Amino acid sequence: MRLIQKLGNWFDLRLQLGTPIRETAMHRVPRETASWFYVFGSAALTVFMVQLVTGMLLALIYVPSAGEAWNSLQTLNHGISLGWFIRALHGWGSNFMVAIVLIHMVQVFLFGAYKFPRELTWIVGVLLLLVTLGMAFTGQVLRFDQDAYWGLGIGASIASRVPVIGPWAVNLMLGGPIIAGATLSRFFALHVFVVPGLLIAFVGVHLLMVLKLGINEWPMPGRIVRRATYMQEYHELTQKEGVPFVPNAVWKDILFSGFILIAIAVCAIHFGPLWSGWPTGSHDYSDRTTPRLLFFVAVCFALVPAPACRDAHPADWPRHRNHCPHGAPIRRGRRGEELEAQADCRAHGSSDCGGARHPDPLG
Amino acid sequence: MSAENGMSRRAALVKLGVLLNSAVGIFLAVPIVRYLLSPVTRQKKFGYDSWLSLGALDQFPTGQTRLATYRNPLVNDWDGETGNIACWVRRVDDQTFQVFAINCAHLGCPVRWFPQSSLFMCPCHGGAYYQDGSRASGPPERGLFQYRYKIEDGKLLIKAGEMPTPGQPVANKAGGMRTCA
């Protein structure tokens, strides 16, 4: 023990990190924040660490080439000891991270933590959500299986609809005229270098602001956030009624993070790696692209008869809302006709138009 | 310059250093930005719009719709299977064809031909198209993308090379990929 203490002192004398770490650990937080509602941010950070470690392990084997990516995943699954487990941890970690960041955002919103002086913490948090979603999408592409290929097709179709620059955005996204090797290369660079760099930078700024501005107190009815007095009130609250972050609040963070890690591991063992099972490419998809459950809901919509004016260009639909160019009315179904009749009735100032229990959905 | 004028020699040198680094930064940024935007700014090479063979005409019986494949002209050695692009070929009569892109006009998912109902269906969001490629129902706001075709030496040729997307000029203008409906 004495040797460890000597080593610690030797490093601390040179790194000068002991004091700031102790101050960070012991900083006072409002008593109510030592709550299970406040554990999602630290859990997201924990999962991010898991993603970093498992991502580095996968990069030892993965080949970012359109012709070899899928085969290298086969090697990971079947040729490397517990390669499938590392893949599964990374895939399920991604799902958990997206879910936890979303829950964290909802909690922060409901608790009013976006108010003064934490507006920028909230904005950086929103950027972190976007970057997390970016990591999930770019990571799915790296599998370069059927899901990845058609997911890219969807991304390209969405990008192409951006006004003016749409076609350029598609070429920039795909790295060429079609989904091919250049596409995988740039998504690999995004997933491994660019987006994680942004993520680490945003996490650093986010944590710094959380430490400097403090965790927001439990919202109370009637307690108004006033810019002129809030900082002083928060300081008094933490000094008089606050508790040190370690150990009073941190134990819940640690326990919850542990539960999340167990949940990820259980999903990884039970469900295995995320995988559509077939290599990428458009030429042999027919028997391999299977519709999801929601497809059957979509089919129900597909079976609804098309409007009589289907020849009209979508841009002209508002103009032809009531009548087609050649005079045939658009079929909208009985419910649609009722709603329109009610809306017309109200437009003419009548108070008894039927369906008055709800606001006019067309209004 | 002197401190009496409000700027010391060292302060002037700092400003000179900042100016020099800014100039070098801009000088380096231009090629970096150009490199990043190369898929957009480079001239469209041969291959973006080429005549490609789908095979002999007898592979496509009259009145039927068959899946065909072509090798994209602009590919690299490491592109693997992604260089093979699928499309649907409908033979109307001896000399009349329709060649549809496999991508749904809504969000690019692969449409599948169902001969039982004579419909193309999209597995993603339920888009449906009639056998002539025109929109039947669902979210697509237009018919399937069509390739231009010609018949040469008993083979069916199509003009292709670029993934069709809804916002792409070549996919919308007349004479390029024709719009159904």
Side-chain angles (χ1 to χ4, degrees):
Chain A
M1 285 302 286
R2 198 174 291 171
L3 180 67
I4 293 171
Q5 194 169 5
K6 269 188 175 180
L7 266 175
N9 288 338
W10 189 91
F11 276 107
D12 191 34
L13 198 60
R14 284 148 187 86
L15 289 170
Q16 295 290 314
L17 284 175
T19 306
I21 288 174
R22 268 191 294 276
E23 284 175 1
T24 302
M26 302 305 291
H27 80 280
R28 300 181 78 77
V29 296
R31 184 178 294 277
E32 311 87 26
T33 63
S35 149
W36 289 108
F37 281 112
Y38 286 78
V39 296
F40 299 106
S42 56
L45 186 61
T46 306
V47 179
F48 177 50
M49 298 297 167
V50 172
Q51 295 302 93
L52 278 182
V53 173
T54 53
M56 282 188 274
L57 293 173
L58 292 176
L60 298 177
I61 306 296
Y62 178 75
V63 181
S65 155
E68 301 299 331
W70 195 81
N71 292 332
S72 69
L73 296 191
Q74 293 285 350
T75 304
L76 265 165
N77 278 0
H78 307 294
I80 305 289
S81 295
L82 291 175
W84 67 270
F85 183 60
I86 303 297
R87 274 202 64 220
L89 278 180
H90 198 68
W92 283 101
S94 160
N95 284 349
F96 271 79
M97 190 166 163
V98 171
I100 291 170
V101 169
L102 281 171
I103 294 169
H104 180 48
M105 189 185 76
V106 170
Q107 180 267 321
V108 164
F109 180 76
L110 293 178
F111 279 55
Y114 54 84
K115 294 177 186 172
F116 176 85
R118 302 183 183 85
E119 302 97 323
L120 195 58
T121 316
W122 164 261
I123 291 169
V124 173
V126 172
L127 292 175
L128 275 169
L129 170 65
L130 295 176
V131 171
T132 303
L133 293 174
M135 284 297 283
F137 182 70
T138 54
Q140 181 203 274
V141 168
L142 298 195
R143 295 206 304 263
F144 230 50
D145 53 9
Q146 286 286 317
D147 279 357
Y149 187 88
W150 298 111
L152 278 167
I154 291 172
S157 294
I158 293 170
S160 81
R161 284 183 163 89
V162 177
V164 184
I165 61 165
W168 295 344
V170 172
N171 273 332
L172 201 60
M173 177 185 161
L174 302 183
I178 58 168
I179 299 165
T183 316
L184 179 60
S185 296
R186 59 187 47 222
F187 273 85
F188 178 75
L190 285 173
H191 188 75
V192 174
F193 299 111
V194 181
V195 187
L198 289 173
L199 194 51
I200 290 168
F202 288 150
V203 165
V205 173
H206 197 70
L207 281 178
L208 183 72
M209 285 191 288
V210 168
L211 288 172
K212 290 288 181 190
L213 300 171
I215 300 170
N216 78 306
E217 70 279 21
W218 194 280
M220 297 292 287
R223 187 193 284 169
I224 308 296
V225 175
R226 292 189 177 83
R227 285 170 187 262
T229 56
Y230 178 80
M231 299 297 268
Q232 181 63 28
E233 287 168 5
Y234 182 81
H235 182 72
E236 286 171 6
L237 179 74
T238 51
Q239 291 308 311
K240 285 180 187 167
E241 300 173 28
V243 291
F245 178 66
V246 177
N248 292 50
V250 79
W251 70 269
K252 283 179 180 160
D253 289 287
I254 294 173
L255 264 185
F256 185 72
S257 294
F259 285 131
I260 291 295
L261 292 182
I262 290 169
I264 293 173
V266 167
C267 285
I269 292 167
H270 184 71
F271 297 108
L274 303 177
W275 188 243
S276 77
W278 299 103
T280 192
S282 79
H283 70 293
D284 197 17
Y285 81 94
S286 285
D287 298 324
R288 297 177 178 181
T289 305
T290 51
R292 300 284 191 262
L293 184 64
L294 280 174
F295 174 73
F296 298 105
V297 179
V299 165
C300 293
F301 284 105
L303 292 175
V304 173
C309 294
R310 66 179 174 80
D311 289 341
H313 190 275
D316 295 329
W317 285 353
R319 192 153 54 85
H320 300 308
R321 204 164 75 91
N322 294 318
H323 295 284
C324 301
H326 46 77
I330 298 175
R331 295 193 298 271
R332 267 181 232 93
R334 196 161 36 158
R335 177 62 181 151
E337 286 169 6
E338 283 172 8
L339 292 172
E340 289 218 341
Q342 289 168 16
D344 288 342
C345 174
R346 287 197 191 91
H348 286 89
S350 174
S351 58
D352 185 18
C353 300
R357 285 172 55 200
H358 301 289
D360 176 16
L362 297 177
Chain B
M1 292 191 196
S2 68
E4 292 162 8
N5 297 334
M7 185 184 289
S8 68
R9 180 170 160 273
R10 285 188 178 82
L13 286 171
V14 167
K15 289 193 172 179
L16 182 68
V18 170
L19 195 68
L20 179 70
N21 279 280
S22 302
V24 173
I26 292 168
F27 181 75
L28 290 176
V30 171
I32 289 171
V33 171
R34 184 75 194 269
Y35 171 81
L36 284 173
L37 295 179
S38 65
V40 174
T41 57
R42 74 184 169 202
Q43 294 264 318
K44 287 196 172 181
K45 290 190 280 188
F46 166 79
Y48 268 66
D49 206 13
S50 312
W51 286 107
L52 307 162
S53 171
L54 291 182
L57 294 182
D58 55 15
Q59 292 179 18
F60 307 106
T62 304
Q64 291 194 24
T65 299
R66 291 276 172 93
L67 190 69
T69 304
Y70 64 88
R71 183 77 179 164
N72 205 69
L74 199 65
V75 287
N76 293 306
D77 293 340
W78 56 89
D79 284 341
E81 296 297 320
T82 55
N84 299 324
I85 310 291
C87 58
W88 291 106
V89 179
R90 175 183 178 231
R91 187 166 191 174
V92 182
D93 57 42
D94 272 359
Q95 297 296 311
T96 311
F97 287 82
Q98 281 187 301
V99 186
F100 305 112
I102 200 159
N103 307 87
C104 179
H106 175 225
L107 284 177
C109 292
V111 294
R112 189 171 172 186
W113 170 245
F114 288 84
Q116 302 88 339
S117 55
S118 292
L119 285 172
F120 292 99
M121 298 285 284
C122 177
C124 290
H125 307 100
Y129 306 86
Y130 296 116
Q131 61 180 353
D132 64 352
S134 58
R135 175 185 174 277
S137 189
E141 64 266 39
R142 52 173 290 169
L144 287 171
F145 302 113
Q146 278 192 61
Y147 296 103
R148 281 194 285 166
Y149 73 91
K150 66 179 180 182
I151 297 165
E152 216 170 75
D153 300 330
K155 288 182 177 174
L156 179 64
L157 305 180
I158 60 165
K159 199 146 202 185
E162 193 169 7
M163 181 184 166
T165 48
Q168 196 184 35
V170 72
N172 292 314
K173 72 182 181 190
M177 291 190 188
R178 278 188 12 237
T179 312
C180 298

